[in-house]
Every structure is written in C-alpha cells, then in structure tokens.
C-alpha cells in the first residue's frame, strides 16, 4: 500500500478543497444546502478573506476557471483589475521611483476579485447572495482561530502599523495586542461592510437584481466612496521607504467590471490543459509542456536528479519568455501562437544540456528584440529594497524573509460543474486598511515596469501580468481535473510537477500532492524588489542526499528547504461515470479536502 498523508477523498455528491479547512467546510455546507459549485466557491472565497487575511482580501484580484456541466471547455473569469487612469510612468518616475514599491498606495490597481465572484454568481450560481456572504460575516464578527502565521505577521508589523498605518493597527491589533495563535480573531468592520452591502442588495427584489445592487454598492456606492475619500488625502509609507499618495479613484472603480474570456490550452500526451492568457503566467506551464513533449519522461525516475534537472532547465526557458513577452493582450499584440508552436518548442529544447544554465535566455522573436533585451537587462540589475515594509506577495513566508502569499479553491458538484480559483492581493501587510471597511487595498501594480514600450509597461487601463494561475485539464479517458496552488512565481512550477506526476507516474491526486517538490528562483521575480537568482534551485530533502549531490554536480545552486515545506497544492477531479475525487496538501497543515 502506498502511504499518503491523508486519504484521497472520493464520492459522488460533491467535493470542496482549499487552503484552509474552514473554507473547505463552508464550501461543502453550501453544496449540502443545494447550492452548486459556483455558490460553494464564492462562499469559500469570502471566508478565505477572513481566515487568511495575510494571504488575500476583498480588495484583491483573482483569475478563475469555471466549467459549467453543459460546456465542453472551461471559461476564464477575469477578476484582475487594471491600472488607474492616473497610473502613468511619468507620474511614478516623478515620485522618484525606478520600480513600483511592493506595498503602500501606488502599488494599487482597481480591485477585481469581488466583481468576478458577483458575475459568476449572477450567471451560474443558484443560492441567494445572503447564503454566500453569511459564513464570512459570521467568522468576521464572531471570530475564527488565528493561524500562527497570521499572529506572527501582525506581531512583526505592530510598531510599523502603530507609527505609519494606524487604521491597520486598529484593525489587526485591537486593544494594542496581536491575536495569539489559536485565539479568536475578529474583524467587526468587515462584518459591518458585508452586512450593509447585503442590506442594500436585499432592498431589491429577485436574486439577480440583488447581485447587481451589490456590484453597484461595491464599485459605485459606499465601498468605492470610502476608498475614494481615503485616497484623496492618505499619504503613507511604502516598501521603497517614503510616504506617497495613491492614484486610484472612485471613478476608476465605477468604470471597470469583471469579464469572461477564453482560456488558452495545449495538448500533452493525450491530455488537454487549460490556463489563463498572457496577462497571467499560465502560458509558462503550457510552454514547459510543449518543450517537455520531446523528452521521454516515462524513462525517468520522477524523484531522480535527471528529472529535476530537466524540468528545472525547461522552466528557466519558459519563464524567461514570461518575462520578455507576456502582458495584457488587450493592449499589446502578444506572440502567443509562436510561443506555443511546435517549431518554437523544438528550438528551445535544443538549448537544454546536461549542466545547469545560469543565463537568462528569452527566445529571440523577430520584431521583438527590444523586449528580450529588456528582460535580460532587468534580470542583471541589482535590486535592493528601499527599507519600507510589507513588500510584495512573498512567495511563501516560510521560504523567504518576506511575508504573505495567496489562497486556492477547487470545487466540483454532483452535476459536474467545476471551479478552480486563485484569489489573492489585499494582504494585511501590503496596504493600510481603508477606514470603515475593514479591508486593505491590493498591490498588484508592482508587476509593471516603469520602462516604456514593453508588454508589462505601466499604463492606465492595462492589466498587470499577474502570477495567479488556476488550472483545468482533461485526461485521455475524459476525466476532468481542477487544480492549483498559491506561491507567486512558484505556482506554475509546482503545478507542472504535479501534472507530470499524474501523467507519467500514474499517481492518484493525493499521492501526487504528497510527492516531493522543487522550484527555481533563476528568473526575474514578479514581486518587489524583483531580484533574479541565476542557477538557484530549492528542493525538499525528501529527494535524498544522492539526488541533491548530483544536482550540485550539474551546476545548480541548490538550497535545501525544510521538510514538507514547498507548495500548497489542491486538486479535484470527476470521471465520466460521475465519481469525484479531491486532495489537499499537508504542507503548512492548513489545506483540506472534503467530499462525499
């Protein structure tokens, strides 16, 4: 019997899995109430804002893959807000910046996650809005057990909050003390916000009308008004070490809405894999699969040095292209067809040798030479933080000195509806709490560059190239899979390894989750201060000393992590006869899969 840290959940009624056990339980409760996967996922999302506030918040952002049972392919819901009208390169340069700080007010784009949940509920949900929001209201008002990492994050920022962000101090340190691990933690201001929003929504008759009223209250009503009023005068310390005002306005919020779009996909060994477009980093996973398709992975030990080396070198090439060529396709003609072509994959495959590369090697695409040159230049610059705090979406708090992360949700109901969502942004450490709302703003603008002429150049109305990257796939036998992970730049690295273990290792969902993981920091980080670490490879010790020694001999700058510390993968699947399965990582001891 192959040991797993927990059973692979199986049943026929429904499965809900996420990065926090309370959210997973809430999702299952919505399914039990008769709701569908879209209802359950939304309720889970709002609860995650409450129970993991260091990882996501209501003013954050979110891409989400949804697949109604009647559809043959998924749809991408874009909950990624755009840069405000006053977010120009000239303005940021005039502020003395060469890159956008990872915290503070200038890093904010239009909040997008809320509207993504609302249009999905409007068009695909079934339960009243009150059923969706009541669990989050309950935990915000009555309290939830504080995670140790939440307590540590708040304690470490107590002095800064008191001196620089007093609204955050009042919210996260009521009475002057950080919540103790396991003690009840509350956010009454957030509970009041959702209670008021519900009251305004329920003044309308009918489920759809109430959801539209909630959208109005958030983007054109009291929520937007509170944000606009605060940002007119607020001037706060940021990660670059100076006090600066923001550029987001209520007018920006009123003019934006979430949208649907087609995801992109590729075929690999009979599987079809769907990811978000080039405003996410999702195509890097697809490019990696295209390159790997020319290698015989079935002949490799999936826990061996050859496998780790090969996959690492492939990811270096794919993520170099991410840095050079990805961006908002609504503003820039992204050469995605070329990047995902078999001919291009063959060219990239030829670059992989037996030793680790320490070069940044974006592909040389005719007509785009300046983009590749800029990616190489950025990666060679020595970025040093300016002395502020709360910088970035630190990829994993326990793997770096930075704080924060993301959350993930996968749900499948008994009818076959599927959701894979990765909410993020609006972390408690990234931006001050907006007075009266109980929620901080996001900092996704830090992914823009302050250089002209690039796909990721800051510009009003442009989406930042986010790291958020949910996934869906279909196996050769028709089994459908939803999966994902938090982890910033690591998201599509860990998901790639997970998928390869399923395809080539024949593992079940939980076995593949439990398998040891690795990732590289070789390429440009997406988060302030945006360093690159040529040749870097972090690996779990479960691979064994011999594997680690061989990787060092191959030239990798190996960093061995603590045991069971890399990745927060969750997954759910449904086969053709309706059997549902789900799994969640044991790492960090928070994620949970529930189903029956």
């Amino acid at each position: 019997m192959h040991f797993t840290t927990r059973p692979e959940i199986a049943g026929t009624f429904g499965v809900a899995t996420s990065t926090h056990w309370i959210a997973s339980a809430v999702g299952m409760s919505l399914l039990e109430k008769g709701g569908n996967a879209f209802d359950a996922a939304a309720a889970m999302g709002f609860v995650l804002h409450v129970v993991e506030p260091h990882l996501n918040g209501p003013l954050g952002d979110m891409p989400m893959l949804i697949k109604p049972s009647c559809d043959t392919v998924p749809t991408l819901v874009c909950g990624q807000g755009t840069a405000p009208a006053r977010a120009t390169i000239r303005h940021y340069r005039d502020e003395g910046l060469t890159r956008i700080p990872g915290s503070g007010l200038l890093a904010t784009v239009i909040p997008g996650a809320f509207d993504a949940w609302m249009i999905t509920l409007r068009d695909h949900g079934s339960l009243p809005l009150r059923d969706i929001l009541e669990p989050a209201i309950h935990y915000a008002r009555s309290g939830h057990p504080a995670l140790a990492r939440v307590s540590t994050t708040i304690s470490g920022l107590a002095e800064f909050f008191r001196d620089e962000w007093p609204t955050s101090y009042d919210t996260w340190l009521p009475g002057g003390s950080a919540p103790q691990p396991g003690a009840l933690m509350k956010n009454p201001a957030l509970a009041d916000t959702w209670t008021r929003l519900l009251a305004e929504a329920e003044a309308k008759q009918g489920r759809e009308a109430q959801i539209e009223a909630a959208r109005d209250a958030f983007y054109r009503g009291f929520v937007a008004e509170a944000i606009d009023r605060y940002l007119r005068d607020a001037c706060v310390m940021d990660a670059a070490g100076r006090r600066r005002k923001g550029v987001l306005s209520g007018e920006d919020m009123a003019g934006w809405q979430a949208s649907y779009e087609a995801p992109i996909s590729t075929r690999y060994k009979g599987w079809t894999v769907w990811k978000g477009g080039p405003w996410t980093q999702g195509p890097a996973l697809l490019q990696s699969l295209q390159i790997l398709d020319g290698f015989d992975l079935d002949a490799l030990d999936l826990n061996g040095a050859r496998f780790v080396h090969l996959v690492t070198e492939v990811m270096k090439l794919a993520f170099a292209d991410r840095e050079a060529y990805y961006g908002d396709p609504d503003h820039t003609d992204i050469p995605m067809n070329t990047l995902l072509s078999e001919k291009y994959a063959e060219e990239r495959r030829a670059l992989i040798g037996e030793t680790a590369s320490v070069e940044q090697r974006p592909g040389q695409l005719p007509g785009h030479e300046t983009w590749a040159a800029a990616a190489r230049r950025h990666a060679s610059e020595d970025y040093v933080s300016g002395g502020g705090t709360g910088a970035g979406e630190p990829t994993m708090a326990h793997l770096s000195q930075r704080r924060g992360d993301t959350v993930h949700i996968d749900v499948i109901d008994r009818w076959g509806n599927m959701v894979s969502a990765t909410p993020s942004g609006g972390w408690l450490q990234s931006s001050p709490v907006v007075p009266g709302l109980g929620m901080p703003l996001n900092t996704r603008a830090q992914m823009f560059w302050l250089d002209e002429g690039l796909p990721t150049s800051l510009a009003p109305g442009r989406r930042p190239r986010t790291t958020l990257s949910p996934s869906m796939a279909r196996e050769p036998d028709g089994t459908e899979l939803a999966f994902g992970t938090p982890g910033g730049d690591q998201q599509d690295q860990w998901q790639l390894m997970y998928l390869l273990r399923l395809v080539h290792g024949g593992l079940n969902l939980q076995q593949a989750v439990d398998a040891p993981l690795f990732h590289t920091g070789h390429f440009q980080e997406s988060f302030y201060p945006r360093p690159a670490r040529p040749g870097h490879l972090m690996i779990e010790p479960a691979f064994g000393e011999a594997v680690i020694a061989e990787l060092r001999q191959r030239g990798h700058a190996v960093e061995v992590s603590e045991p069971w510390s890399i990745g927060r993968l969750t997954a759910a699947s449904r086969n053709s006869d309706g059997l549902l399965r789900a799994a969640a990582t044991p790492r960090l001891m928070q994620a949970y899969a529930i189903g029956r």
Side-chain angles (χ1 to χ4, degrees):
M1 178 179 177
H2 185 100
F3 175 81
T4 56
T5 58
R6 54 187 69 177
E8 180 188 61
I9 300 300
T12 56
F13 179 81
V15 288
T17 180
S18 79
T19 49
H20 195 291
W21 68 90
I22 289 179
S24 298
V26 165
M28 196 65 200
S29 75
L30 270 286
L31 296 179
E32 298 283 4
K33 188 177 285 191
N36 60 27
F38 312 108
D39 299 312
M44 293 164 73
F46 284 106
V47 166
L48 286 170
H49 296 331
V50 178
V51 299
E52 294 193 284
H54 60 317
L55 309 183
N56 74 133
L59 297 178
D61 26 47
M62 177 184 69
M64 173 167 55
L65 285 168
I66 62 171
K67 186 184 174 298
S69 59
C70 58
D71 292 349
T72 57
V73 298
T75 295
L76 185 71
V77 185
C78 174
Q80 177 57 66
T82 58
R86 294 189 291 137
T88 64
I89 289 176
R90 179 174 181 178
H91 177 80
Y92 283 57
R93 290 282 187 177
D94 288 347
E95 288 282 345
L97 297 167
T98 57
R99 58 198 184 278
I100 299 174
S103 68
L105 302 178
L106 276 176
T108 296
V109 299
I110 298 168
F114 181 84
D115 208 45
W117 288 125
M118 289 301 107
I119 67 168
T120 302
L121 287 171
R122 179 195 65 194
D123 299 336
H124 301 285
S126 61
L127 295 178
L129 185 59
R130 175 168 291 277
D131 288 347
I132 308 303
L133 287 177
E134 275 191 332
I137 293 172
H138 166 78
Y139 287 111
R141 194 175 304 284
S142 300
H144 57 92
L147 296 169
R149 295 183 188 280
V150 175
S151 176
T152 300
T153 299
I154 295 173
S155 296
L157 291 168
E159 183 177 347
F160 178 84
F161 283 169
R162 185 191 63 218
D163 296 342
E164 300 290 348
W165 297 357
T167 55
S168 293
Y169 188 83
D170 293 342
T171 300
W172 309 117
L173 293 100
S177 298
Q180 293 299 304
L184 285 181
M185 179 179 175
K186 303 176 183 180
N187 188 344
L190 179 59
D192 290 344
T193 296
W194 294 143
T195 299
R196 177 176 174 182
L197 182 137
L198 261 183
E200 294 192 12
E202 291 178 342
K204 303 291 184 180
Q205 294 296 316
R207 181 179 173 278
E208 183 172 329
Q210 290 179 1
I211 291 172
E212 290 297 334
R215 298 176 73 198
D216 283 340
F218 195 92
Y219 287 94
R220 288 162 287 279
F222 79 95
V223 174
E225 290 166 1
I227 293 170
D228 184 86
R229 186 166 54 249
Y230 173 61
L231 291 179
R232 286 177 198 167
D233 300 316
C235 185
V236 309
M237 183 66 71
D238 60 32
R242 278 182 48 189
R243 296 179 182 88
R244 294 180 175 90
K245 299 184 69 173
V247 293
L248 179 68
S249 70
E251 187 176 356
D252 291 316
M253 292 184 63
W256 182 88
Q257 59 183 353
S259 59
Y260 298 114
E261 61 187 63
I264 61 176
S265 65
T266 196
R267 297 271 296 172
Y268 179 77
K269 309 300 184 187
W271 290 58
T272 303
V273 184
W274 288 275
K275 298 293 293 185
W279 59 270
T280 76
Q281 69 175 355
L285 185 147
L286 303 183
Q287 281 193 248
S288 297
L289 291 174
Q290 290 282 90
I291 299 171
L292 287 167
D293 205 22
F295 294 97
D296 183 10
L297 269 66
D298 288 328
L300 298 182
D301 175 0
L302 300 187
N303 291 323
R306 173 63 180 160
F307 173 79
V308 176
H309 168 75
L310 175 62
V311 173
T312 299
E313 295 306 296
V314 166
M315 293 190 301
K316 289 177 183 178
L317 296 173
F319 280 81
D321 285 343
R322 181 197 74 169
E323 285 308 298
Y325 300 116
Y326 293 10
D328 188 347
D330 292 344
H331 285 249
T332 307
D333 186 12
I334 307 298
M336 208 70 254
N337 288 337
T338 298
L339 294 170
L340 288 176
S341 68
E342 292 184 12
K343 180 177 182 297
Y344 185 70
E346 184 178 353
E347 294 172 2
R348 303 296 271 163
R349 198 177 298 129
L351 297 176
I352 297 173
E354 293 301 315
T355 58
S357 171
V358 294
E359 298 179 60
Q360 304 295 335
R361 298 187 289 180
Q364 301 302 302
L365 303 187
H368 300 294
E369 291 83 0
T370 58
W371 294 2
R376 291 192 298 272
R377 183 180 71 253
H378 288 151
S380 69
E381 293 172 345
D382 184 18
Y383 287 145
V384 179
S385 176
T389 194
E393 176 197 52
T395 53
M396 293 283 279
H398 60 295
L399 298 180
S400 73
Q401 293 302 309
R402 293 187 264 168
R403 308 175 180 88
D405 201 352
T406 300
V407 299
H408 186 76
I409 296 164
D410 296 305
V411 186
I412 307 177
D413 63 31
R414 62 188 183 273
W415 301 287
N417 299 303
M418 301 174 61
V419 176
S420 180
T422 311
S424 187
W427 314 296
L428 68 84
Q429 62 275 29
S430 66
S431 191
V433 169
V434 179
L437 296 183
M439 54 181 84
L441 289 159
N442 67 79
T443 52
R444 192 63 58 178
Q446 66 186 288
M447 297 188 173
F448 287 116
W449 289 106
L450 297 179
D451 302 327
E452 298 282 1
L454 304 177
T456 47
S457 297
L458 177 67
R462 177 175 282 178
R463 288 174 288 186
R465 193 275 300 147
T466 183
T467 54
L468 306 175
S469 191
S471 299
M472 284 190 179
R474 181 178 294 128
E475 300 182 34
D477 67 359
T479 297
E480 295 178 319
L481 176 69
F483 63 105
T485 179
D489 295 303
Q490 284 73 42
Q491 287 181 33
D492 280 301
Q493 299 191 62
W494 297 333
Q495 291 181 72
L496 174 64
M497 290 160 223
Y498 183 70
L499 191 60
L500 293 175
R501 260 82 182 244
L502 296 177
V503 175
H504 296 284
L507 304 185
N508 70 30
L509 299 187
Q510 190 63 46
Q511 290 169 342
V513 162
D514 287 350
L517 291 168
F518 59 93
H519 64 260
T520 177
H522 167 84
F523 47 81
Q524 190 90 53
E525 285 190 14
S526 298
F527 299 93
Y528 180 89
R530 309 201 68 175
R533 292 176 286 169
H536 170 267
L537 175 62
M538 178 174 276
I539 188 167
E540 288 186 315
F543 279 95
E545 293 182 3
V547 169
I548 292 169
E550 182 178 338
L551 291 167
R552 287 192 169 117
Q553 290 173 357
R554 288 176 177 269
H556 296 278
V558 177
E559 178 183 4
V560 181
S561 73
E562 293 297 315
W564 294 99
S565 63
I566 297 180
R568 296 181 71 199
L569 287 155
T570 69
S573 70
R574 183 180 190 272
N575 69 16
S576 57
D577 64 5
L579 180 62
L580 306 175
R581 301 181 186 274
T585 183
R587 296 164 174 92
L588 301 193
M589 297 184 290
Q590 288 176 212
Y592 228 83
I594 300 176
R596 68 171 179 87

